[in-house]
Amino acid sequence: MSKASLPLPPASGTSSNVKPTKKAPYPFWLGGVAATIAASITHPLDLTKVRLQASGDSGMIESLRKTIRTAGVRGLFDGISGTWMRQMSYSMCRFWAYDESKKLLGAGSNAPMWKLLCAGSMAGGIAGFVGNPAEIVMVRLQGDFAKPPEKRFNYKNCFDALFRMVRDEGISSFSRGVGPNVLRAVLMNASQLATYDFFKAEMLKTKYFEDNIICHFGASFAAGTVATTVCSPADVLKSRVMNASGPGSSSTLAVIRTSLKNEGPMFMFKGWMPAFTRLQPTTILIFLTLEQLKNIVDWTRGTTKTPEL
């Protein structure tokens, strides 16, 4: 065979035998940014939920009216700095830990539900512990105006709250309510992150859905409904324990005993409707925003032509 007839080596990047480059992971902070954007939009609903759980208000509308009557429309955004601190600590940590936990468990795109639940639970446990100080700050800032003036903390912002907690209550105050908070975080991430991935994967298996905003909306709506119901008891306990200020009143058992005596067992689901109306749009906004942020990252890397819905 002459030299001229020898087959030429394939040009770089054109051979069918060349393995595709493994997709680079997304920045770890995307989840925190998505959650911060979503929480900023839905903050009035979260504020109402916390005040309804921690006070004697009889309903969501009454709580909203009281807030506007006492603090004006701007009062609906009381404690927004605590919300931002919480999202950029707890939420950023949970999305990062969830992705790392899935890698550890070998949970790919079509992973069984039990692996996703395990990954979500692991992420929730880590994030709930790491984000506990910011969680306390957020709850106190949001719940302050629901209290009588003499019992208010009157924090100026999230940083003032952290400083005064250390000064007045000691560094151990950062662990207040950590048990209910970690429990809630485990339940939240198992029921929200895992179910979103599960519902999204199941929807994509059908001929009716593609990986677009319609699919993301449907999966996030289902995840938000599941998460609201599963997390309600731990959410109520967390809010009441973190808002307690008297000696001997901040233990989880003391809160349960007092609440059962005064309100009965259904206190565990007090604030379910405002929790649903807050968590549902928050869940939808988080995942829709996160998916679009991922599209933007792909676009900047040149792996997609334009960010698509």
Side-chain angles (χ1 to χ4, degrees):
M1 181 180 292
S2 67
K3 185 176 181 180
S5 63
L6 290 174
L8 295 174
S12 176
T14 61
S15 172
S16 59
N17 294 326
V18 175
K19 294 182 179 179
T21 304
K22 185 178 180 181
K23 192 173 185 179
Y26 292 104
F28 73 94
W29 43 263
L30 280 190
V33 172
T36 301
I37 293 171
S40 298
I41 296 171
T42 60
H43 181 78
L45 296 174
D46 193 37
L47 179 76
T48 302
K49 180 209 68 172
V50 170
R51 290 182 175 177
L52 185 59
Q53 290 174 343
S55 70
D57 295 345
S58 61
M60 179 181 175
I61 302 300
E62 179 191 340
S63 185
L64 277 169
R65 286 176 176 172
K66 179 190 286 187
T67 298
I68 296 174
R69 185 171 64 251
T70 57
V73 175
R74 290 183 61 184
L76 294 175
F77 291 90
D78 284 341
I80 189 70
S81 66
T83 296
W84 291 337
M85 174 179 281
R86 189 242 188 187
Q87 299 304 333
M88 291 307 293
S89 56
Y90 163 75
S91 288
M92 184 165 63
C93 182
R94 73 186 179 115
F95 278 99
W96 166 80
Y98 181 60
D99 288 338
E100 294 301 314
S101 298
K102 287 197 294 183
K103 293 177 186 176
L104 183 65
L105 295 171
S109 57
N110 290 310
M113 187 61 178
W114 71 267
K115 283 191 176 183
L116 297 176
L117 290 173
C118 287
S121 298
M122 292 166 63
I126 296 169
F129 181 80
V130 171
N132 199 68
E135 191 82 26
I136 299 172
V137 169
M138 183 192 74
V139 168
R140 288 187 174 187
L141 284 170
Q142 291 180 355
D144 222 22
F145 278 94
K147 296 180 177 181
E150 67 275 8
K151 293 185 178 181
R152 293 174 185 173
F153 295 105
N154 294 316
Y155 297 139
K156 297 177 182 178
N157 51 54
C158 60
F159 300 108
D160 179 55
L162 287 175
F163 172 77
R164 287 175 54 187
M165 283 174 63
V166 174
R167 185 191 66 187
D168 300 338
E169 304 173 55
I171 195 70
S172 62
S173 63
F174 287 169
S175 64
R176 180 182 289 245
V178 68
N181 191 44
V182 169
L183 173 60
R184 178 190 178 276
V186 169
L187 295 174
M188 172 62 71
N189 287 276
S191 60
Q192 188 188 62
L193 300 185
T195 55
Y196 174 78
D197 278 353
F198 174 78
F199 286 122
K200 179 182 174 182
E202 291 300 308
M203 291 169 73
L204 290 176
K205 289 177 183 178
T206 70
K207 63 180 181 180
Y208 304 106
F209 294 98
E210 297 179 358
D211 192 0
N212 55 24
I213 195 170
I214 296 175
C215 176
H216 304 157
F217 179 88
S220 58
F221 184 90
T225 303
V226 173
T228 302
T229 305
V230 171
C231 296
S232 182
D235 204 20
V236 173
L237 286 176
K238 180 207 69 171
S239 294
R240 295 191 177 192
V241 169
M242 289 182 174
N243 260 306
S245 57
S249 63
S250 62
S251 73
T252 303
L253 288 178
V255 169
I256 292 175
R257 283 197 297 266
T258 303
S259 299
L260 282 174
K261 179 180 178 181
N262 296 333
E263 304 169 65
M266 288 306 292
F267 87 91
M268 301 290 272
F269 292 94
K270 187 172 184 180
W272 187 93
M273 183 53 68
F276 176 80
T277 56
R278 191 275 308 180
L279 185 58
Q280 190 62 275
T282 300
T283 301
I284 293 171
L285 285 170
I286 285 175
F287 287 114
L288 293 187
T289 304
L290 181 59
E291 295 284 3
Q292 296 310 304
L293 289 175
K294 288 180 177 179
N295 285 342
I296 293 173
V297 171
D298 288 338
W299 175 64
T300 59
R301 290 173 175 174
T303 54
T304 58
K305 292 182 179 180
T306 56
E308 298 177 352
L309 293 179

